[in-house]
């Protein structure tokens, strides 16, 4: 790895610390904020939950259009960096509006919240596509990509777990400092997280230097976009597999705070549990490049899926004891860390596959699939969690003592059984349909070099 490669690896990876803090606060805790801090009743929760679910699905399908716009961008700073900054700045303003104490109620509140949310979703997607599209543009060497990608995932998990572990203790301390004003506490945290998001993005913007080893291509039209997406069969199968995995993963993690408050009976243990998971995931990501260098990606995916299955089974049947719950979490999230990193590599490799098959590279259109999948996963998770909270009676409960055995079972099925089914089906799709192994990828790179597509 050259000096430039090392610089790109670290400056690219560090950029996602703030991004994942930012995204995690919205995707995992916005609903908790609305139910536990804003104290929305069942009717208002149904309205807001419906809006979140519908808008996430609607906006997900805008992402390929964003990919076209980025692919067609030509500036002295490249095509990725301007959109990274625009996306970070606009989505930060929208984040503050969602957590602000607006003097509105009823339909007016839902309308302003919906506008703020859809703009947040669109511009975070702009940032997300521009950010991750840089990865395949930095190297076509699979091992270098794995090294860069795994470091980026490590940084992403640092950001994620900084929020997951700290959000309840920090907002609790701020609430006490503000005389019991939880609304103000969460808004202040949103301000801090937004500032961190922008700061770390600047590291990537000013620190990463693209190698630009690809030939210049003509602009891509909307008609070309359809060809890029549906003509790349390996991208489509990767999309199906990733989407099923993210539906399961997002649904489970979205229940986290509710599980510890209403099932375990002590929401303070959520931060302890999250800390254990964070260490487990970081350890898995550190060893990922070494393991992937020794066994094939297919075998590693199989091992990771087995860990996830074991984790869910233990989690579902364990009594409310922290030790077996932690064991289940470690199994589940080590497997999850491997799978998410593998998915990133699969997606990156479909860029060259599409270039080889269709004659154009279209990095951003290809990587627009990632935020599309994340939004679909979050949309389904929001719908499942909202419906479960209402049906199980948890939304109207004050503590674990108010939740019936049937209500608890309903939450466990929605949190664990349904996600496990989605993840296993996604794994089967991968086994049956994904063909880009290490040997095939090297053949593709050889053909692209012969054609002059890679300089």
């Amino acid at each position: 790895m050259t000096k430039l490669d090392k610089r790109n690896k670290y400056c690219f990876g560090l950029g996602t610390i703030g991004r994942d803090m930012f995204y995690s606060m919205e995707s995992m805790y916005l609903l908790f904020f609305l139910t536990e801090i804003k104290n929305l009743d069942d009717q208002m929760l149904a309205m807001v939950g419906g809006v979140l679910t519908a808008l996430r699905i609607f906006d997900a399908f805008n992402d390929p259009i964003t990919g076209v716009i980025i692919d067609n961008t030509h500036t002295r700073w490249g095509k990725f960096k301007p959109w990274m900054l625009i996306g970070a700045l606009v989505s930060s303003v929208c984040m503050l509006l969602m957590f602000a104490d607006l003097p509105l109620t009823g339909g007016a509140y839902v309308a302003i919240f919906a506008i703020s949310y859809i703009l947040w979703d669109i511009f975070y997607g702009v940032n997300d596509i521009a950010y991750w599209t840089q990865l395949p543009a930095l190297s076509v060497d699979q091992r270098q990509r794995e090294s860069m990608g795994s470091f980026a995932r490590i940084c992403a998990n640092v950001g994620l777990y900084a929020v997951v572990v700290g959000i309840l203790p920090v907002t609790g301390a701020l609430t006490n400092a503000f005389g019991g004003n939880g609304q103000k506490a969460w808004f202040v945290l949103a301000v801090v997280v937004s500032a961190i998001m922008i700061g770390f993005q600047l590291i990537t913007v000013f620190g990463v230097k693209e190698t630009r080893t690809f030939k210049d291509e003509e602009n891509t039209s909307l008609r070309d976009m359809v060809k890029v997406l549906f003509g790349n069969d390996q991208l489509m199968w990767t999309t199906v597999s990733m989407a099923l995995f993210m539906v399961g993963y997002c649904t489970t993690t979205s229940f986290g705070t509710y599980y510890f408050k209403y099932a375990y009976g002590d929401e303070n243990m959520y931060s302890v549990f999250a800390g254990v998971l964070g260490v487990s995931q970081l350890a898995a990501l550190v060893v990922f490049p070494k393991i992937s260098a020794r066994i094939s990606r297919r075998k590693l995916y199989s091992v990771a899926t087995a860990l996830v299955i074991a984790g869910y089974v233990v989690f579902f049947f364990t009594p409310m004891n922290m030790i077996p719950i932690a064991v289940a979490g470690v199994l589940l999230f080590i497997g999850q860390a491997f799978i998410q990193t593998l998915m990133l590599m699969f997606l990156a490799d479909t860029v060259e596959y599409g270039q080889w098959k269709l004659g154009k590279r279209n990095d951003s259109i290809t990587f627009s699939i990632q935020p599309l999948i994340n939004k679909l996963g979050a949309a389904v998770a929001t719908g499942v969690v909202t419906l479960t909270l209402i049906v199980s009676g948890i939304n109207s409960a004050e503590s674990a003592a108010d939740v019936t055995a049937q209500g608890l079972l309903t939450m466990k099925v929605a949190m664990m059984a349904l996600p496990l089914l989605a993840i296993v089906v996604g794994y089967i799709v991968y086994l049956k349909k994904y063909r880009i192994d290490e040997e095939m990828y090297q053949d593709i790179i050889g053909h692209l070099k012969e054609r002059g597509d890679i300089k």
Side-chain angles (χ1 to χ4, degrees), residues 133-258:
T133 304
Q134 288 183 102
L135 179 59
L138 296 179
S139 175
V140 295
D141 183 278
Q142 281 189 312
R143 294 302 172 217
Q144 284 192 16
R145 279 187 181 175
E146 288 175 359
S147 178
M148 292 177 177
S150 60
F151 180 71
R153 284 296 182 195
I154 288 171
C155 292
N157 276 268
V158 169
L160 165 67
Y161 283 101
V163 170
V164 171
V165 173
I167 194 163
L168 294 183
V170 170
T171 53
L174 288 173
T175 299
N176 291 332
F178 294 137
N181 190 335
Q183 170 74 70
K184 186 175 182 180
W186 280 75
F187 178 74
V188 168
L189 182 60
V191 171
V192 172
V193 169
S194 297
I196 293 173
M197 153 70 155
I198 295 170
F200 275 98
Q201 284 294 277
L202 291 175
I203 294 176
T204 300
V205 167
F206 291 110
V208 168
K209 183 177 181 180
E210 296 170 37
T211 54
R212 301 185 185 276
T213 58
F214 312 107
K215 73 173 184 178
D216 294 332
E217 296 177 336
E218 296 179 357
N219 283 355
T220 301
S221 67
L222 291 179
R223 181 178 295 180
D224 293 332
M225 176 192 75
V226 176
K227 182 180 178 181
V228 170
L229 293 176
F230 293 98
N232 189 331
D233 58 295
Q234 294 302 285
L235 174 61
M236 286 295 96
W237 289 121
T238 301
T239 300
V240 173
S241 184
M242 287 178 70
L244 288 165
F245 174 80
M246 287 308 296
V247 164
Y249 173 70
C250 289
T251 301
T252 297
T253 55
S254 295
F255 273 109
T257 49
Y258 296 104

